[in-house]
């Protein structure tokens, strides 16, 4: 049941889940499949299950920044991005960021998840995680005709999900020549995908799925797919509009602090609720470390400065922040090629026509996700240019000779040098994107400028495996004061070397057939500085000016051995405690290569099993 903004029916639960987001709802719903478990979920946001702005797939851009559904975080000024402040949308609603993300549905590689185990986490590997990737979703394949159009000839039922709650699907693509040109172009440069994305071995260009229910053409997310079917369970209580102030910790036991409950505020009243078994923090990469620090778990120096009693001195809480940066170039397409530019320009006629299509038949652009033309790309001679991989190898070797490479460096080095692993995701978006801050406005007000006249495609490049590490910390004992987020983008010098080379490859990609047939010769671009012409230093300058966050924060409560910087162990238990876990993207010791939602779901599914096993409750 969901007694929104109403006091819970009891003051004691078996499990208290802090955060009703992507991971929190998965854990709560799996735990309450067992009638003996009574679970309370505390969510600061509201129940937005009926909100059309969330449910209509293409409306995700319109809800970013809306205070009722988005925490709308901002970074500190980033020294290596010309002092720019970047936006970080994070979901503030049941379902968390799965309620407002761009619905991109992609998988990590086997090597990335295996590395989690190799860093010192027994029981974590691709093989052990694959059942959970399959468990959380159902991939709905399109018709044979549409599969041919989208180049889907790699589907493997032994690895993809066939019966999970989250529904993933593909757009009807026959009327979209660009999506077919995308996959054909990668075939022509011998870089098309050969394996199912959920095989852990996917490399190259392909048509990716979106987390959209094909039956209703609506967003499929943790709120609708996990919570809604479970909402009538008598052993599940969800309280919305509830801000958790801190976890209550008993420090009298010698073998670690025991979480006895939480303090939270709802409707202006502060209450305490007790937990018989565990407290599970699932508040995301920015807010999970915040709650730990407010509860007295963190760097003792910081906590003492703020007057917070130290329960566990854990200096790595809030450190190790990782995120994907993305930069892009927009290319004008030939006359008559349909793109989403009129919608991005918010032209009334286009919006009215597309909304009419969606409301009457659930078709048209409003029924689609944001990006379905995707690729996982290494450095290649065909796109990046000859000699670029050896140049990067020399740069990595030179850096290693002057420092003490850690596991993360050696791992990223191995991926960048590999022909079989991606160091960038190359994407195509059928509209113009201009991230230039020509007005000099800090704080993201000029985050994406209104598209210019004309129709465009945008090719994007992301940095899959950043070496830069940032931090997120509280600056006050007041729970309502936002955290300080400093990703320290490009603080590691090799990050910009990798991303700039991949960005240069976009000018080569757009010249390849058949994609080149759709791009206007000598056509306009998103900005006069986007003509890179193979100049690496000019490209680096462009990257510093245009890179924005892909909004994939991770790693701030990392699952690692404590002496290596860990905050939680391999069972996601917070070091120094007996029954306090963290379950969300903050536990990822190394960020996977692409959008995080599939991995967050899988981690949460595994976490639910760990919790049940540790409780010794038979399944």
């Amino acid at each position: 049941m969901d007694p929104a903004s109403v006091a819970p029916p009891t003051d004691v639960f078996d499990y208290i889940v802090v955060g009703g987001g992507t991971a929190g709802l998965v854990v709560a719903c799996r735990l309450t499949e067992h009638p003996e478990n009574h679970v309370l979920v505390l969510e600061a946001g509201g129940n937005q299950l009926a909100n059309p702005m969330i449910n209509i797939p293409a409306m995700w851009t319109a809800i970013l920044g809306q205070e009722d559904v988005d925490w709308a975080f901002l970074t500190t000024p980033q020294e290596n991005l010309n002092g720019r402040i970047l936006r970080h949308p994070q979901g503030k609603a049941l379902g968390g960021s799965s309620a407002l993300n761009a619905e991109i549905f992609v998988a990590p590689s086997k090597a990335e998840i295996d590395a989690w185990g190799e860093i010192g986490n027994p029981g974590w590997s691709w093989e052990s995680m694959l059942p959970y990737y399959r468990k959380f979703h159902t991939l709905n394949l399109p018709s044979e005709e549409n599969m041919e159009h989208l180049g889907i000839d790699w589907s493997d039922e032994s690895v993809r999900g066939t019966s999970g709650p989250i529904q993933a699907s593909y757009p009807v693509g026959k009327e979209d020549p660009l999506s077919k040109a995308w996959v054909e172009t990668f075939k022509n440069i011998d870089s098309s995908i050969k394996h199912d994305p959920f095989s852990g071995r996917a490399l190259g260009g392909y048509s990716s799925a979106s987390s959209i229910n094909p039956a209703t053409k609506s967003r499929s997310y943790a709120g609708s797919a996990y919570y809604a079917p479970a909402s009538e369970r008598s052993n599940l209580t969800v309280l919305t509009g509830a801000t958790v102030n801190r976890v209550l910790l008993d420090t009298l036991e010698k073998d670690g602090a025991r979480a006895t409950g939480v303090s939270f505020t709802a409707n202006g009243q502060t209450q305490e609720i007790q937990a018989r078994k565990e407290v599970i923090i699932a508040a995301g990469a920015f807010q999970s470390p915040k709650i730990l620090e407010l509860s007295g778990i963190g760097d003792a120096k910081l906590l003492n400065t703020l007057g917070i009693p130290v329960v566990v001195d854990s200096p790595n809480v809030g450190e190790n922040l990782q995120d994907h940066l993305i930069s892009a170039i927009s290319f004008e397409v030939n006359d008559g090629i349909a793109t989403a530019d009129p919608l991005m320009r918010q032209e009334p006629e286009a919006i009215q026509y597309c909304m009419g299509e969606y409301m009457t038949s659930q078709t048209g652009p409003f029924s689609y996700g944001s990006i379905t033309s995707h690729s996982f790309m290494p450095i290649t001679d065909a796109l990046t240019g000859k000699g670029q991989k050896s140049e990067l190898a020399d740069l990595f070797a030179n850096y290693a000779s002057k420092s003490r490479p850690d596991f993360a460096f050696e791992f990223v080095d191995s991926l960048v040098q590999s022909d079989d692993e991606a160091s960038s995701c190359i994407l195509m978006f059928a509209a113009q994107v201009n991230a230039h801050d020509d007005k000099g406005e800090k704080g993201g007000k000029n985050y994406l400028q209104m598209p210019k006249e004309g129709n465009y495609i945008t090719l994007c490049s992301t940095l899959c495996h950043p070496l830069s590490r940032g931090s997120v910390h509280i600056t006050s004992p007041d729970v309502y004061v936002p955290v300080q987020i400093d990703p320290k983008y490009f603080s590691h010098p090799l990050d910009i070397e990798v991303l700039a080379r991949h960005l240069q490859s976009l000018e080569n990609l757009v010249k390849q057939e058949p994609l080149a047939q759709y791009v206007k010769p000598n056509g306009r671009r998103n900005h006069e500085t986007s003509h890179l012409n193979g100049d690496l230093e000019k490209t680096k300058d462009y990257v510093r000016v245009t890179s924005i966050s892909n909004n994939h924060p991770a790693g701030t409560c990392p699952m690692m051995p404590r002496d290596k910087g860990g905050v939680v162990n391999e069972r996601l238990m917070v070091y120094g405690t007996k029954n306090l876990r963290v379950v969300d993207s903050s536990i990822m010791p190394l960020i996977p290569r692409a959008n995080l939602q599939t991995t967050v779901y899988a981690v949460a599914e595994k976490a639910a099993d760990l919790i049940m096993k540790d409780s010794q409750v038979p399944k």
Side-chain angles (χ1 to χ4, degrees), residues 139-220:
L139 182 63
N140 299 273
L141 294 174
S143 67
E144 289 187 11
E145 183 181 15
N146 206 24
M147 285 180 67
E148 191 279 330
H149 180 88
L150 296 172
I152 302 173
D153 56 7
W154 36 255
S155 180
D156 182 352
E157 192 165 317
S158 70
V159 297
R160 66 180 174 88
T162 57
S163 58
I166 297 296
Q167 302 298 307
S169 63
Y170 298 85
V172 176
K174 291 182 294 182
E175 73 276 14
D176 173 23
L178 292 171
S179 58
K180 185 174 180 63
W182 178 262
V183 293
E184 293 297 327
T185 297
F186 279 91
K187 286 181 180 178
N188 287 344
I189 59 173
D190 195 28
S191 292
S192 62
I193 198 171
K194 304 296 194 300
H195 304 282
D196 191 294
F198 282 89
S199 69
R201 297 182 294 150
L203 195 71
Y206 72 111
S207 297
S208 61
S210 300
S211 48
I212 296 173
N213 188 326
T216 60
K217 295 296 175 63
S218 61
R219 175 190 294 271
S220 182

Side-chain angles (χ1 to χ4, degrees), residues 83 472 559 561:
V472 53
M559 176 179 62

Side-chain angles (χ1 to χ4, degrees), residues 232-561:
E232 297 302 317
R233 292 176 187 167
S234 61
N235 60 337
L236 174 62
T237 300
V238 173
L239 186 62
T240 55
T243 298
V244 172
N245 304 308
R246 62 188 177 94
V247 178
L248 305 175
L249 295 164
D250 182 353
T251 60
L252 297 179
E253 301 186 29
K254 294 181 180 180
D255 54 347
R258 175 176 291 278
T260 60
V262 301
S263 165
F264 72 94
T265 301
N267 288 332
Q269 295 185 342
T270 298
Q271 305 175 55
E272 292 186 356
I273 297 289
Q274 304 301 308
R276 295 187 188 93
K277 295 182 178 180
E278 292 189 19
V279 173
I280 300 142
I281 300 177
F286 295 148
Q287 310 242 59
S288 285
K290 172 182 181 176
I291 292 169
L292 287 178
E293 289 178 340
L294 290 172
S295 306
I297 301 174
D299 188 339
K301 294 179 181 178
L302 171 66
L303 301 182
N304 285 329
T305 299
L306 297 176
I308 297 173
V310 177
V311 177
V312 179
D313 183 7
S314 184
N316 299 304
V317 170
E319 296 294 310
N320 195 52
L321 173 59
Q322 300 160 62
D323 185 30
H324 295 134
L325 279 177
I326 185 169
S327 186
I329 302 173
S330 299
F331 302 87
E332 189 176 13
V333 296
N334 290 324
D335 296 343
I337 302 300
T339 67
D341 286 281
L343 292 175
M344 297 295 287
R345 286 192 292 268
Q346 300 177 19
E347 296 178 8
E349 290 183 2
I351 292 174
Q352 184 177 2
Y353 177 79
C354 293
M355 182 59 77
E357 279 190 303
Y358 183 82
M359 297 305 292
T360 57
S361 61
Q362 283 72 55
T363 59
F366 279 13
S367 68
Y368 301 166
S370 60
I371 291 175
T372 56
S373 296
H374 197 278
S375 70
F376 298 115
M377 291 301 295
I379 298 289
T380 65
D381 289 348
L383 289 185
T384 323
K386 293 183 178 180
Q388 292 301 314
K389 181 165 284 189
S390 61
E391 280 187 20
L392 280 175
D394 290 342
L395 289 170
F396 271 78
N398 183 57
Y399 183 90
S401 70
K402 298 176 181 178
S403 61
R404 291 183 177 181
D406 58 9
F407 180 89
F409 179 90
E410 293 175 349
F411 176 66
V412 173
D413 186 11
S414 71
L415 296 183
V416 171
Q417 308 311 325
S418 174
D419 293 329
D420 299 319
E421 294 291 337
S423 49
S424 179
C425 293
I426 307 294
L427 323 168
M428 180 175 69
F429 179 58
Q432 182 192 154
V433 173
N434 187 358
H436 283 75
D437 188 13
D438 289 332
K439 296 180 182 179
E441 296 178 4
K442 292 185 177 181
K445 293 179 181 177
N446 208 30
Y447 173 59
L448 291 178
Q449 295 192 45
M450 188 67 71
K452 301 175 184 177
E453 181 180 298
N455 286 2
Y456 294 76
I457 58 169
T458 296
L459 301 186
C460 315
S461 177
T462 70
L463 180 65
C464 286
H465 305 106
L467 288 165
S468 301
R469 296 293 185 268
S471 64
V472 53
H473 292 292
I474 60 173
T475 61
S476 166
D478 184 346
V479 68
Y480 294 103
V481 174
V483 290
Q484 182 178 78
I485 301 168
D486 183 7
K488 295 184 173 66
Y489 294 122
F490 292 145
S491 57
H492 196 292
L494 293 177
D495 282 350
I496 197 168
E497 298 287 350
V498 176
L499 182 55
R501 284 167 170 81
H502 278 293
L503 191 72
Q504 283 185 314
S505 75
L506 304 183
E507 289 188 321
N508 290 329
L509 177 60
V510 81
K511 296 174 184 175
Q512 307 300 316
E513 295 293 347
L515 188 60
Q517 298 176 19
Y518 298 94
V519 177
K520 182 176 288 188
N522 302 314
R524 292 172 293 181
R525 296 193 183 182
N526 54 303
H527 198 269
E528 59 268 18
T529 61
S530 63
H531 296 269
L532 306 178
N533 301 319
D535 186 328
L536 185 59
E537 293 308 312
K538 183 178 180 180
T539 305
K540 290 179 185 177
D541 288 340
Y542 183 88
V543 166
R544 293 185 187 99
V545 171
T546 63
S547 291
I548 59 177
S549 171
N550 226 351
N551 306 319
H552 302 156
T556 52
C557 299
M559 176 179 62
M560 291 192 288

